[in-house]
């Protein structure tokens, strides 16, 4: 009977170790995803802010040249975000 109990205890220890490893792996992946989301949110915020500023310049201020100039920014901001993401993924 003690042979059965020691085998059971070893199996439980292995399961606990495996569960701890999985939990640690999941925690690490979640932290990386959160950091990635923060960076992506910053670029997205910049793109949306430039769209809103462009609309402000066009409709409120009436400065069409500045509105068109600022209206070019979102594409550039998002292109830089995509480039940085691909560069990070390649490393």
């Amino acid at each position: 009977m003690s042979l059965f109990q020691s085998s059971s205890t070893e199996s439980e220890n292995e399961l606990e170790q495996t569960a701890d490893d999985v939990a640690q792996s999941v925690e690490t992946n979640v932290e990386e995803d959160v950091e990635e989301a923060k960076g992506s949110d910053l670029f997205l915020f910049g793109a949306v802010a430039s769209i809103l500023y462009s609309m402000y310049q066009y409709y409120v201020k009436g400065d069409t040249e500045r509105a068109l100039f600022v209206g070019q920014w979102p594409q550039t901001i998002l292109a830089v975000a995509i480039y940085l993401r691909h560069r990070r993924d390649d490393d």
Side-chain angles (χ1 to χ4, degrees), residues 2-79:
S2 64
L3 178 63
F4 180 71
Q5 288 176 345
S6 66
S7 171
S8 175
T9 305
E10 289 175 8
S11 296
E12 288 175 6
N13 289 340
E14 289 176 7
L15 286 175
E16 287 177 9
Q17 182 64 30
T18 303
D20 290 342
D21 291 343
V22 169
Q24 184 177 6
S25 175
V26 167
E27 184 177 323
T28 302
N29 290 339
V30 167
E31 289 174 0
E32 291 173 358
D33 291 344
V34 167
E35 289 299 320
E36 180 179 333
K38 287 180 183 176
S40 298
D41 290 345
L42 183 62
F43 282 107
L44 182 60
F45 175 75
V48 170
S50 65
I51 291 169
L52 294 175
Y53 183 65
S54 175
M55 292 173 68
Y56 170 77
Q57 288 294 321
Y58 187 82
Y59 292 110
V60 176
K61 293 284 192 169
D63 190 353
T64 57
E65 288 183 19
R66 183 175 293 245
L68 291 173
F69 174 71
V70 174
Q72 301 295 316
W73 296 354
Q75 300 90 312
T76 306
I77 293 169
L78 295 175

